[in-house]
Amino acid sequence: EVRIPEEGVAETAEMARAFNDMTESLAARTEALEKAVADLRESSRSLRTARQGLERAERLAAVGRLAAGVAHEVGNPVGALLAFLDLVARDAGLSEASRTHLARARSQVERVRSILRDLLDFARPARGERAPVDLARVAEDVLELVRAQRRYAGVGFRVIVEGEVPPALADRSGVAQLLLNLVLNAGDAVRP
């Protein structure tokens, strides 16, 4: 921020002008670098958040697969139990107390079946809002997040679009998450 008065003999005034020009240039570059650092920090935060979301989604997917497997394996015996309870309930010689016990047992088995259905519903991936999505724009947005990471400084990323591509009917955040996962894996695979 120091300025030198541009006065005196020609050589001194010229040197003062050059110094002042250099000072202004350095100030402008410093400002641009500070903005770039702030942008990089913001991009880094965004990428970290996206990566945490992806890791959480992967964990939930694993839990969902486990839940679906358990629900399927337990669901078959539960169906058999219900069938046997129905067979026993047809016996005309059952006392009223036995019928009450059977009704309670059936109620509890139905409750287990309901819990299993809830597990299967949890295991199914949620459907996002489908809308027209510019896939090239989503890819560029993902690359902006990844390029900001220092660990990928030596990796060149680019989106190549040939011709006019119509929008895809998709869930934008799901597509972005899928592309982010692919780009991160690719970046880690080719990183120098």
Side-chain angles (χ1 to χ4, degrees):
E1 296 178 11
V2 175
R3 306 271 306 163
I4 298 176
E6 298 175 12
E7 56 191 35
V9 294
E11 287 179 351
T12 305
E14 184 62 33
M15 187 186 303
R17 268 192 297 284
F19 181 84
N20 291 340
D21 289 346
M22 181 183 70
T23 301
E24 288 173 16
S25 177
L26 284 174
R29 286 186 181 178
T30 300
E31 185 179 326
L33 285 173
E34 286 172 350
K35 183 183 181 318
V37 167
D39 290 347
L40 285 173
R41 284 189 176 130
E42 182 58 35
S43 294
S44 177
R45 272 192 296 276
S46 297
L47 183 58
R48 196 169 25 256
T49 299
R51 185 169 230 167
Q52 288 169 346
L54 181 61
E55 289 168 355
R56 183 174 183 274
E58 287 173 348
R59 285 193 305 272
L60 284 175
V63 168
R65 285 190 298 275
L66 177 64
V70 168
H72 179 72
E73 290 299 319
V74 175
N76 290 336
V78 164
L81 276 172
L82 287 171
F84 286 127
L85 287 172
D86 285 342
L87 282 176
V88 172
R90 292 180 194 164
D91 184 353
L94 283 177
S95 68
E96 196 56 42
S98 294
R99 289 192 185 284
T100 301
H101 293 310
L102 278 176
R104 286 182 183 159
R106 180 170 182 70
S107 170
Q108 292 305 308
V109 174
E110 285 290 349
R111 185 169 164 249
V112 169
R113 179 184 257 179
S114 174
I115 291 169
L116 292 175
R117 270 194 299 260
D118 289 346
L119 274 174
L120 283 172
D121 288 344
F122 172 77
R124 289 187 191 102
R127 294 188 176 261
E129 284 294 316
R130 292 180 359 158
V133 175
D134 179 350
L135 295 177
R137 180 71 252 155
V138 174
E140 285 294 345
D141 291 346
V142 166
L143 290 186
E144 283 179 30
L145 289 173
V146 176
R147 284 183 188 121
Q149 295 299 301
R150 187 179 312 156
R151 67 187 285 176
Y152 299 111
V155 180
F157 295 102
R158 63 186 172 147
V159 175
I160 300 171
V161 179
E162 294 182 9
E164 190 163 333
V165 179
L169 187 60
D171 172 31
R172 188 182 197 290
S173 65
V175 170
Q177 195 158 30
L178 175 96
L179 288 175
L180 179 62
N181 193 24
L182 289 171
V183 169
L184 290 175
N185 287 341
D188 286 338
V190 301
R191 203 167 44 141

